[in-house]
Amino acid sequence: MKIVIIYFLLAYVKVTICLRVVSITVPKYKQRGEPATLTCDYDLEGGRLYSVKWYRDNEEFYRYMPRLRPPQHAHRLDGVKVDLGKSSARHAHLRELTLRSRGLYRCEVSEEAPSFHSAQAEAFMEVYHFPRDSPSVTGHERRYEIDEPLDVNCSSARSFPAPDLHWHINGQKITERSWLVAYGAKPVPQGLLVSTLGLKAPAKPRMKLRCVATIGTHKRERTVLIDTNSASCNSRVGASLLILTCVNMIVRDKIS
Ligand SMILES: *[C@@H]1O[C@H](CO)[C@@H](O)[C@H](O)[C@H]1NC(C)=O
């Protein structure tokens, strides 16, 4: 019995080392509109290649079969456009990614008869649409009383996925939850999202607000200033000084 098991184990080990897909290399993150080169690296261990087939979410989009003339064949999938000129037995080159290009990519390599062994590997590709514009801020245009809670929103430009939003006051990142209002992400056309974060911090003089939208390492930000009534006090002081100077000048004129 033991001998039989060992025999089968050996046979199995022999089969698996005949053909190995050493690795599949798929960019982890890509931007919409960019191209992508996917690589399937395999080791035939002396066997002969029958086919390399590529799938996105189990749907085939490209195959390479060296015995066929031409050896390449592509099937169009939504979001997957193969550039045959740049593709080969080990590469699939995709043109102009769209948000629909995201998915689980798999390559499957098969050996010729008599073995027909096959092996495969898979990896996920995420496609982003980074916001082109800075986030927009509303509610900062009006004047606030000192300590009056702000009523300010920051909304990201259209993107995918929804960016993380953060508020900073005078350079300090706000973590105080009672000051933040998370409105979440709202879908907009073309599969994109807009996220909004409100800020209810008490108004202070000389307040500089910065809203930062991030997706991974990609950042967009906008800075606005809050006008409080103490600031208007300052400008009134400024105006009085101006009047005093004027009066001074008039008086001096009269004297001379
Ligand atoms: C902030 O966004 C919320 C949700 O969209 C909205 O109800 C509110 O009026 C907005 N406030 C300002 C100041 O834009």
Side-chain angles (χ1 to χ4, degrees):
M1 182 64 182
K2 262 186 196 155
I3 289 165
V4 171
I5 290 172
I6 288 169
Y7 174 80
F8 275 113
L9 271 178
L10 282 178
Y12 176 75
V13 169
K14 213 172 107 197
V15 166
T16 55
I17 62 170
C18 279
L19 165 65
R20 292 183 294 139
V21 171
V22 177
S23 67
I24 180 171
T25 313
V26 169
K28 219 170 168 175
Y29 306 111
K30 272 284 171 183
Q31 269 202 77
R32 188 163 85 159
E34 286 183 332
T37 301
L38 320 181
T39 304
C40 187
D41 212 358
Y42 45 87
D43 190 344
L44 294 164
E45 305 262 352
R48 283 177 55 178
L49 180 67
Y50 174 68
S51 67
V52 181
K53 294 179 184 171
W54 284 87
Y55 303 82
R56 194 231 16 225
D57 298 330
N58 294 322
E59 279 189 278
E60 187 182 329
F61 62 87
Y62 173 61
R63 65 168 65 178
Y64 183 92
M65 297 177 78
R67 283 199 175 242
L68 297 188
R69 288 289 164 260
Q72 297 174 300
H73 185 76
H75 312 262
R76 183 83 173 256
L77 295 185
D78 193 6
V80 180
K81 275 186 266 176
V82 179
D83 182 338
L84 288 180
K86 291 182 178 167
S87 301
S88 65
R90 286 176 198 266
H91 301 287
H93 185 86
L94 310 185
R95 286 182 291 158
E96 276 182 70
L97 301 177
T98 71
L99 292 181
R100 302 227 178 227
S101 313
R102 73 191 290 268
L104 189 62
Y105 285 82
R106 183 172 90 233
C107 73
E108 187 184 285
V109 181
S110 303
E111 261 180 344
E112 276 215 347
S115 76
F116 282 119
H117 293 141
S118 73
Q120 54 184 351
E122 58 188 22
F124 199 87
M125 180 167 73
E126 184 63 88
V127 180
Y128 282 176
H129 176 83
F130 292 128
R132 297 219 176 94
D133 301 311
S134 300
S136 57
V137 174
T138 52
H140 63 290
E141 310 88 348
R142 50 166 283 213
R143 191 180 284 269
Y144 287 89
E145 297 295 334
I146 301 283
D147 287 332
E148 181 189 351
L150 297 176
D151 179 19
V152 173
N153 282 346
C154 174
S155 295
S156 62
R158 299 137 45 87
S159 65
F160 185 87
D164 287 326
L165 292 176
H166 292 286
W167 279 110
H168 299 248
I169 298 179
N170 298 337
Q172 200 137 32
K173 187 168 167 177
I174 300 309
T175 51
E176 174 62 49
R177 286 185 174 229
S178 60
W179 289 358
L180 299 171
V181 191
Y183 291 107
K186 204 178 77 196
V188 292
Q190 297 183 305
L192 301 175
L193 296 164
V194 165
S195 28
T196 301
L197 182 66
L199 181 65
K200 300 249 177 255
K204 299 285 176 209
R206 283 182 296 281
M207 216 178 192
K208 194 158 102 179
L209 305 183
R210 184 157 57 102
C211 173
V212 184
T214 53
I215 298 177
T217 56
H218 185 91
K219 262 190 196 157
R220 290 277 182 185
E221 59 178 67
R222 184 177 297 275
T223 301
V224 296
L225 296 172
I226 292 295
D227 211 1
T228 56
N229 279 331
S230 81
S232 75
C233 240
N234 285 342
S235 63
R236 244 179 270 140
V237 170
S240 332
L241 279 177
L242 193 71
I243 291 166
L244 276 180
T245 319
C246 287
V247 170
N248 246 336
M249 276 157 68
I250 295 165
V251 171
R252 242 187 278 150
D253 268 1
K254 288 225 165 136
I255 290 171
S256 60

